[in-house]
Amino acid sequence: AMTQNIFTKWGDIIEEKTKVKVVAQLPGVAEKQIKLKLKDKKLTITAPGYKKDVLLPAAVKKTFSKRYKNNILEVTLEKKS
């Protein structure tokens, strides 16, 4: 159960049929301060005072979209078919 607490403390990984969604709480940062880096199955989220490496459950394409609203960052990644 310990892993789950760590997992939910920063956010969630939602795996869907064709995509993977990463949802993270980033309080008090501006959207332009958020940097995303994707390498293989690892998504790195960086912001002032924040760094998180997210291991993705599936292989994804290089392109992704992000949305930042009410301190919640939502990154949508397309799965490789």
Side-chain angles (χ1 to χ4, degrees):
M2 200 174 127
T3 318
Q4 196 142 5
N5 292 354
I6 296 165
F7 185 72
T8 51
K9 206 197 288 187
W10 65 269
D12 274 310
I13 300 169
I14 303 141
E15 187 176 1
E16 293 173 14
K17 201 175 169 182
T18 57
K19 54 189 180 234
V20 177
K21 259 184 178 166
V22 176
V23 183
Q25 292 190 28
L26 289 173
V29 300
E31 183 167 5
K32 61 176 187 289
Q33 293 178 303
I34 303 167
K35 291 185 172 60
L36 299 172
K37 200 176 86 187
L38 181 63
K39 191 179 189 293
D40 302 321
K41 282 168 75 171
K42 188 176 83 173
L43 176 72
T44 304
I45 304 168
T46 318
Y50 183 96
K51 187 174 189 284
K52 180 78 197 163
D53 285 327
V54 183
L55 221 52
L56 304 169
V60 292
K61 293 175 184 169
K62 283 263 176 268
T63 50
F64 52 81
S65 61
K66 72 165 182 172
R67 211 171 72 115
Y68 183 63
K69 196 171 183 263
N70 304 328
N71 297 333
I72 304 283
L73 171 71
E74 200 176 280
V75 186
T76 304
L77 307 108
E78 292 271 333
K79 278 189 190 178
K80 280 185 181 166
S81 42

